[in-house]
C-alpha cells in the first residue's frame, strides 16, 4: 500500500492494524501518529496479542530496509491472511508530507492536551501546590500513575491512586466537599485525565491537575521522594458503593455509554469478521484473584494513557470489564472520545471468575545449555552472541559476547560451521532469534537463558560496556525520553515542550479522529445509542 492509501485507511470505517515493525528506539524517534509499535525482534510474541483477529487488514511499516517484508512472511506463517507492506516505509511516509511524531503513547498524550484545552481542566503549578502544602491546607494529593511508578518517585504527601480507581475510591479518600483534590502524574496526561474524570463524575470539591507533574516539581527546584511504598487502596464502604452506583448510572446515561450483555459478548468473541478485545480494567490484585474467561488485564488508567500497548487494531470493539462499578464506565468515556469503539460489559466480573490463560513457554523445544556447559563450549571455540536488550547488554554480559538484535542477525560475522551459543535474558527474544539463526544454517546452536548474576555465579566472567553497543546501534532503546525521570532537568524541559506541542503537530484528519467519536453502536443490550460527536465540557 502507498502512504496515501494507508493515510486514508486510518480514518475509514474498516478495521486496520497499522504496525511499526522497527525496534522501539527507531519507532520512538519518529512515526505516524496512529501506528502501533510491534518490533520485529518480538513480532511473533506481540502480534497475536495486539492483533488477535488474523483476518484483519494489517499494514507493516519499516525503515524501507526490507524488515517489513520479513515480518510479513512471519505473520503469514502465523495465519494472518491480509498483510500489506507500506511502500518505502517511514521515509516514504514522511516524503509524502505526512507528519511523524517522536515519543511513545502519542495518541493518548495528544488527546490529553486536547482535553485540557476543550474541557477547561483547572491546574496548579508546582510552586502553588508547594505553598499550599506548607500552609497546611485541607488537601489530598493523589498520584494517578501505576503503583510501580509511584514507588519510583512521588510528590511529598501524595498517595497512590491510579486514575481508573478514582471514581470508586474517592469517597474513602476524601470525606469533605471542601477538601481540595490535586491529581498528579510524571508529566501531564494522567494529571489532566484524572482531574477531569472527577469533574465529569460531578464531584464539587476544588479539583486540579498538577501542571507538568513530578517533572514540573523538579523544574521548580523542589525535591521528590524516592522508594515510597503505595498504601493499599481502601475498600469502598456500603454508603460509598451506593453513591458509586448512582454516579455510574447517571454518567452512563448522560454520556450515552453503551452496555453489553454477557450473551452478546460471547457472540462477539466468536465472530471472526470483527476484532474484539476483552479487557479487565480492575487492579492487578483483583485480576489475579480471577477474571472473566478470555480477558486480558489492562488497568483503566494505564489503558487510557497507553492505549497502543493493548490495542493494535483501529476500529476494533473494546469490551471493558469491572465489578459493575464505575471503572469501566470512566475508561469507556475516554476511549470513545479518542475514537475507539469501547463498550461496558454489564456484568460483575467476580461472578465469572476464572484463571488467566497460561503464558506460552518460549523455552519449550529449544536446545538449552547450562552456564557450565556454555563455559566448556566457549573454551572449545564456540561463538557467543547475546540477544538481550541493548541497555541490559551494556550493564552486564558474558565477556566476549557480541551484542545482536534480530533484524540485524544476518549482518553478523558468524561461521555456520562453528558451534553457536545464543545468550539472552528474555525467553521470547531468545526463541525467535534462535529460529532465525537456525534458518540461516547454524545447525549446532544452543541457547543460554539467564542473567549476568546467574552466569557470574556459575563461573563465567561478566563485563559491562557502557558505550557498546553505540547509541547509533542500540535501536531498541529510546534516547529521546531517557533521563527525564532521573534528575536531568534539561531532559524534562525537552519532554514537556514536546508534549505541549503535540496538538500543533496534528493535521485535520488526525484531530478529527478524536473529535468525531467511534461509529454508532449496533447492539449493546438495549436500544442503540449514537456516540457524542464532539468533546463536551462536563461540569
Amino acid at each position: 500500500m502507498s502512504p496515501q492509501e494507508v493515510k486514508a485507511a486510518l480514518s475509514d470505517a474498516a478495521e486496520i492494524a497499522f504496525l511499526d515493525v522497527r525496534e522501539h528506539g527507531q519507532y520512538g524517534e519518529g512515526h505516524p501518529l496512529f501506528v502501533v509499535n510491534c518490533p520485529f525482534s518480538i513480532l511473533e510474541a506481540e502480534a497475536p496479542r495486539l492483533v488477535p483477529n488474523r483476518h484483519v487488514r494489517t499494514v507493516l511499516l519499516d525503515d524501507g530496509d526490507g524488515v517489513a517484508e520479513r515480518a510479513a512472511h512471519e505473520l503469514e506463517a502465523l495465519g494472518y491472511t491480509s498483510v500489506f507492506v507500506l511502500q518505502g516505509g517511514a521515509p516514504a511516509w514522511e516524503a509524502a508530507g505526512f507528519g511523524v511524531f517522536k515519543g511513545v503513547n502519542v495518541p493518548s498524550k495528544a488527546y490529553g492536551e486536547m482535553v485540557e484545552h476543550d474541557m477547561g481542566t483547572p491546574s496548579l503549578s508546582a510552586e502553588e501546590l508547594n505553598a499550599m502544602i506548607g500552609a497546611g491546607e485541607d488537601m489530598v494529593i493523589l498520584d494517578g500513575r501505576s503503583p510501580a511508578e509511584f514507588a519510583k518517585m512521588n510528590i511529598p504527601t501524595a498517595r497512590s491512586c491510579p486514575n481508573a480507581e478514582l471514581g470508586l475510591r474517592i469517597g474513602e479518600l476524601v470525606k469533605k466537599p471542601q477538601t481540595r483534590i490535586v491529581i498528579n502524574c510524571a508529566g501531564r496526561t494522567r494529571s489532566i485525565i484524572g482531574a477531569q474524570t472527577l469533574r465529569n463524575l460531578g464531584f464539587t470539591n476544588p479539583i486540579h491537575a498538577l501542571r507538568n507533574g513530578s517533572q514540573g516539581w523538579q523544574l521548580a527546584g523542589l525535591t521528590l521522594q524516592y522508594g515510597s511504598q503505595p498504601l493499599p487502596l481502601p475498600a469502598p464502604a456500603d454508603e460509598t458503593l451506593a453513591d458509586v452506583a448512582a454516579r455510574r448510572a447517571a454518567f452512563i446515561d448522560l454520556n450515552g455509554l453503551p452496555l453489553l450483555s454477557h450473551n452478546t459478548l460471547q457472540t462477539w468473541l466468536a465472530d471472526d469478521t470483527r476484532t474484539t478485545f476483552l479487557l479487565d480494567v480492575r487492579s492487578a490484585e483483583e485480576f489475579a484473584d480471577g477474571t472473566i474467561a478470555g480477558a486480558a488485564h489492562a488497568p483503566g488508567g494505564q489503558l487510557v494513557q497507553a492505549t497502543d500497548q493493548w490495542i493494535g487494531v483501529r476500529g476494533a470493539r473494546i469490551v471493558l470489564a469491572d465489578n459493575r462499578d464505575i471503572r469501566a464506565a470512566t475508561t469507556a468515556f475516554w476511549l470513545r472520545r479518542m475514537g475507539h469503539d469501547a463498550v461496558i460489559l454489564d456484568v460483575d466480573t467476580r461472578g465469572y471468575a476464572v484463571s488467566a490463560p497460561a503464558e506460552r513457554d518460549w523455552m519449550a523445544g529449544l536446545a538449552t545449555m547450562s552456564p557450565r556447559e556454555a563455559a566448556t563450549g566457549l573454551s572449545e571455540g564456540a561463538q557467543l552472541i547475546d540477544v538481550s536488550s541493548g541497555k541490559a547488554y551494556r550493564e552486564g554480559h558474558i565477556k566476549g559476547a557480541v551484542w545482536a538484535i534480530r533484524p540485524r542477525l544476518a549482518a553478523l560475522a558468524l561461521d555456520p560451521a562453528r558451534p553457536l551459543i545464543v545468550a539472552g535474558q528474555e525467553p521470547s527474544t531468545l526463541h525467535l532469534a534462535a529460529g532465525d539463526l537456525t534458518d540461516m544454517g547454524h545447525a549446532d546452536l544452543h541457547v543460554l537463558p539467564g542473567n549476568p548474576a546467574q552466569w557470574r555465579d556459575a563461573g563465567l566472567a561478566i563485563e559491562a560496556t557502557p558505550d557498546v553497543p553505540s547509541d547509533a546501534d542500540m535501536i531498541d532503546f529510546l534516547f529521546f525520553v531517557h533521563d527525564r525521570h532521573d534528575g536531568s532537568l534539561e531532559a524534562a524541559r525537552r519532554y514537556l515542550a514536546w508534549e505541549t506541542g503535540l496538538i500543533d503537530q496534528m493535521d485535520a484528519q488526525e484531530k478529527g479522529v478524536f473529535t468525531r467519536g467511534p461509529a454508532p453502536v449496533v447492539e449493546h443490550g438495549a436500544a442503540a445509542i449514537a456516540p457524542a460527536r464532539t468533546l463536551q465540557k462536563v461540569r
Side-chain angles (χ1 to χ4, degrees):
M1 296 178 71
S2 69
Q4 292 79 5
E5 290 172 317
V6 176
K7 178 71 169 171
L10 290 171
S11 57
D12 68 21
E15 292 184 359
I16 181 171
F18 187 23
L19 303 181
D20 189 329
V21 297
R22 296 176 298 170
E23 299 307 304
H24 188 66
Q26 297 170 302
Y27 157 84
E29 287 296 335
H31 56 268
L33 180 62
F34 293 121
V35 78
V36 172
N37 192 209
C38 187
F40 181 63
S41 59
I42 51 174
L43 178 78
E44 294 92 326
E46 288 292 282
R49 181 182 68 83
L50 291 169
V51 190
N53 180 356
R54 304 193 182 194
H55 304 300
V56 72
R57 175 180 48 167
T58 303
V59 182
L60 308 180
L61 174 144
D62 62 8
D63 259 342
D65 53 5
V67 173
E69 283 81 0
R70 294 170 62 191
H73 174 78
E74 300 297 344
L75 288 181
E76 289 173 345
L78 288 178
Y80 287 83
T81 61
S82 185
V83 184
F84 299 82
V85 169
L86 188 144
Q87 294 172 351
W93 179 272
E94 196 165 3
F98 302 139
V100 295
F101 294 76
K102 284 179 173 287
V104 298
N105 311 135
V106 181
S108 298
K109 293 177 181 180
Y111 179 67
E113 296 301 312
M114 294 179 71
V115 168
E116 182 183 51
H117 178 269
D118 292 342
M119 293 188 175
T121 311
S123 65
L124 294 172
S125 69
E127 293 87 348
E128 289 171 319
L129 179 59
N130 187 53
M132 292 173 180
I133 294 173
E137 182 168 329
D138 179 14
M139 177 174 57
V140 173
I141 305 172
L142 299 175
D143 191 316
R145 301 173 298 160
S146 68
E149 291 172 286
F150 176 87
K152 183 174 180 180
M153 79 282 189
N154 64 277
I155 304 295
T157 76
R159 178 168 183 171
S160 175
C161 184
N163 270 357
E165 303 292 330
L166 288 169
L168 179 62
R169 316 284 180 172
I170 199 70
E172 306 306 319
L173 296 169
V174 180
K175 294 295 187 180
K176 296 181 291 185
Q178 68 269 25
T179 300
R180 186 183 304 277
I181 303 171
V182 180
I183 310 298
N184 83 274
C185 64
R188 295 178 53 79
T189 310
R190 282 172 288 185
S191 301
I192 296 166
I193 296 296
Q196 192 61 46
T197 294
L198 291 176
R199 298 180 76 226
N200 291 356
L201 289 174
F203 290 97
T204 57
N205 300 65
I207 300 170
H208 295 83
L210 175 59
R211 198 176 310 138
N212 299 331
S214 62
Q215 292 176 93
W217 187 266
Q218 286 187 301
L219 288 170
L222 302 171
T223 302
L224 293 169
Q225 293 180 336
Y226 295 87
S228 303
Q229 290 306 306
L231 296 172
L233 290 171
D238 289 344
E239 59 269 25
T240 299
L241 288 175
D243 180 71
V244 167
R247 289 184 191 275
R248 176 184 187 267
F251 186 72
I252 288 172
D253 182 64
L254 175 66
N255 295 290
L257 301 177
L259 302 172
L260 193 75
S261 68
H262 185 264
N263 288 340
T264 302
L265 170 65
Q266 301 311 307
T267 300
W268 282 12
L269 292 174
D271 178 10
D272 65 1
T273 67
R274 288 288 309 275
T275 302
T276 299
F277 291 92
L278 174 59
L279 302 176
D280 186 330
V281 299
R282 301 174 302 158
S283 69
E285 294 78 11
E286 291 171 286
F287 180 78
D289 283 343
T291 188
I292 193 164
H297 185 225
Q302 292 300 100
L303 180 58
V304 174
Q305 162 74 8
T307 310
D308 52 351
Q309 291 182 14
W310 283 275
I311 307 297
V313 182
R314 293 206 65 78
R317 297 182 294 211
I318 305 171
V319 181
L320 306 175
D322 59 11
N323 294 341
R324 220 168 169 263
D325 49 58
I326 204 163
R327 291 173 285 187
T330 54
T331 305
F333 173 89
W334 293 119
L335 291 181
R336 290 181 67 78
R337 277 152 183 76
M338 289 169 64
H340 297 288
D341 190 3
V343 303
I344 303 161
L345 183 62
D346 198 28
V347 302
D348 189 329
T349 303
R350 293 169 295 187
Y352 298 84
V354 298
S355 299
E359 295 185 4
R360 175 176 174 178
D361 180 7
W362 288 99
M363 302 310 296
L366 291 181
T368 60
M369 60 170 31
S370 69
R372 295 189 185 280
E373 291 171 328
T376 300
L378 292 172
S379 69
E380 295 174 350
Q383 305 165 100
L384 175 63
I385 64 173
D386 190 325
V387 295
S388 302
S389 72
K391 185 173 184 291
Y393 178 92
R394 280 183 173 186
E395 293 171 352
H397 56 269
I398 300 169
K399 190 172 182 178
V402 174
W403 184 65
I405 191 165
R406 189 184 183 194
R408 297 180 176 177
L409 289 175
L412 296 176
L414 298 174
D415 182 356
R418 289 173 56 198
L420 176 62
I421 301 172
V422 184
Q425 299 183 39
E426 291 294 334
S428 60
T429 306
L430 267 175
H431 178 102
L432 297 172
D436 283 4
L437 289 163
T438 300
D439 292 342
M440 293 176 194
H442 293 275
D444 189 356
L445 181 151
H446 289 78
V447 299
L448 175 60
N451 58 58
Q454 294 169 327
W455 299 329
R456 181 185 291 109
D457 289 345
L460 292 167
I462 303 299
E463 64 178 354
T465 53
D467 299 317
V468 178
S470 68
D471 290 0
D473 288 335
M474 205 161 81
I475 58 176
D476 61 340
F477 185 78
L478 181 54
F479 289 92
F480 170 67
V481 295
H482 188 51
D483 293 337
R484 69 186 178 98
H485 295 321
D486 296 318
S488 171
L489 299 184
E490 183 54 36
R493 288 188 188 95
R494 289 196 304 268
Y495 177 85
L496 292 169
W498 163 80
E499 195 166 19
T500 55
L502 285 173
I503 293 177
D504 290 338
Q505 283 189 257
M506 298 165 64
D507 63 27
Q509 181 211 36
E510 291 160 345
K511 292 176 182 176
V513 168
F514 290 151
T515 56
R516 71 166 181 268
V521 175
V522 175
E523 198 281 341
H524 56 83
I529 298 176
R533 287 300 178 186
T534 59
L535 287 170
Q536 300 178 44
K537 188 170 184 178
V538 185
R539 295 193 180 277

